[in-house]
Amino acid sequence: MEPHLYMLRDIPHQERPRERMLQYGASAVSNAELLAILLRTGTKQESAIHLAQRILHQVGSMRRLVDMSAEELMAIKGIGSAKAVQLKAGIELGLRLARTRMDEPVVIRSPRDAADVLMEQLRYLQKEHFVCLFLNTKNHIIAQETLSIGSLNASIVHPREVFRAAIKRSSASILCAHNHPSGDPAPSPEDISLTSRLKEAGEIVGIEVLDHLIIGDGEFVSLKEQGLM
């Protein structure tokens, strides 16, 4: 016999996700409860909170949700186009909030400054994204661009793509970064080789490559600090 699935009306009013968030604040509710609030409703068979719990169990983690398309979300039982759009909108809003600093003049004085700008954008992605920060003579970020999205295990970018974008923006220098979907930011031999080619190309065109960061899950490695460039 299948266990009874409580509907939202069966949950005491004060324990419902929206009411708990209003009473205790956003930090007091669980990931499943936040998802349930975004979903708003469940299905005829289960409440929004049970649907949210099942989604998390099926996808494996919150970070996996970040990189899922609307089509992938709709493949989950109980998620139609409306719910998929609601989830994608909530996730995108969070990502855009993480990037709001880009609207203000940001000065890159250290690898940590660049990691602070990029960490929340890159740490959850399931494919390697190669990103460049373009800087002026005062080391202010004047632009940011994703130049390559690779496979699960590799990011492919050519120096000509990097410096074409840098020249177009009249950059004085650039800082490159990419994520490791595994969460481990340890540089690979390919990362080191690419960094060397970028540095040499920068010397030729007169645009300095300040650093190459590898972003993991909450941690990063600076190839410059490691003496690898």
Side-chain angles (χ1 to χ4, degrees):
M1 181 180 295
E2 293 186 4
H4 174 63
L5 291 178
Y6 289 96
M7 302 307 288
L8 189 60
R9 63 177 175 269
D10 299 319
I11 302 173
H13 188 272
Q14 68 274 15
E15 295 180 16
R16 297 175 188 178
R18 276 179 289 186
E19 284 71 17
R20 276 176 42 75
M21 186 168 174
L22 284 171
Q23 184 171 357
Y24 302 111
S27 61
V29 298
S30 68
N31 291 340
E33 288 172 319
L34 286 173
L35 281 181
I37 291 168
L38 287 175
L39 292 168
R40 297 183 59 235
T41 60
T43 67
K44 291 182 179 179
Q45 290 75 36
E46 60 188 342
S47 67
I49 188 67
H50 278 95
L51 176 57
Q53 290 169 341
R54 181 162 57 78
I55 291 170
L56 287 178
H57 178 74
Q58 188 167 334
V59 303
S61 68
M62 286 288 285
R63 72 177 279 174
R64 173 73 181 108
L65 272 177
V66 173
D67 211 31
M68 291 181 73
S69 66
E71 290 74 18
E72 289 174 315
L73 289 169
M74 289 166 61
I76 299 172
K77 182 180 178 182
I79 301 294
S81 59
K83 283 185 170 56
V85 168
Q86 286 163 206
L87 289 178
K88 288 296 293 180
I91 291 167
E92 180 61 24
L93 180 60
L95 293 174
R96 291 189 184 188
L97 285 170
R99 294 196 294 264
T100 53
R101 288 184 57 190
M102 292 299 295
D103 296 331
E104 307 166 2
V106 179
V107 183
I108 301 300
R109 299 185 180 90
S110 68
R112 168 58 65 182
D113 291 337
D116 286 344
V117 170
L118 296 169
M119 179 65 70
E120 295 307 312
Q121 299 178 45
L122 298 180
R123 65 184 292 190
Y124 301 111
L125 300 176
Q126 299 299 302
K127 293 183 179 181
E128 286 197 359
H129 288 55
F130 188 93
V131 177
C132 275
L133 299 179
F134 303 100
L135 313 177
N136 62 18
T137 55
K138 297 182 179 179
N139 277 16
H140 290 167
I141 298 175
I142 54 177
Q144 174 183 329
E145 184 176 351
T146 299
L147 295 175
S148 172
I149 300 176
S151 67
L152 284 172
N153 299 311
S155 178
I156 302 170
V157 69
H158 194 281
R160 66 171 171 265
E161 299 162 348
V162 174
F163 289 99
R164 182 187 299 124
I167 291 168
K168 183 173 67 175
R169 291 171 172 80
S170 301
S171 307
S173 60
I174 62 172
L175 188 144
C176 303
H178 76 278
N179 62 302
H180 278 181
S182 67
D184 180 1
S188 68
E190 292 78 14
D191 295 334
I192 297 169
S193 174
L194 172 60
T195 304
S196 177
R197 288 190 291 128
L198 288 170
K199 187 173 186 297
E200 291 174 3
E203 290 171 352
I204 292 171
V205 300
I207 299 175
E208 183 182 3
V209 180
L210 298 178
D211 206 340
H212 183 183
L213 302 186
I214 302 176
I215 306 294
D217 188 7
E219 54 185 349
F220 72 95
V221 166
S222 158
L223 270 71
K224 185 171 184 178
E225 287 186 338
Q226 295 292 315
L228 296 174
M229 63 177 297

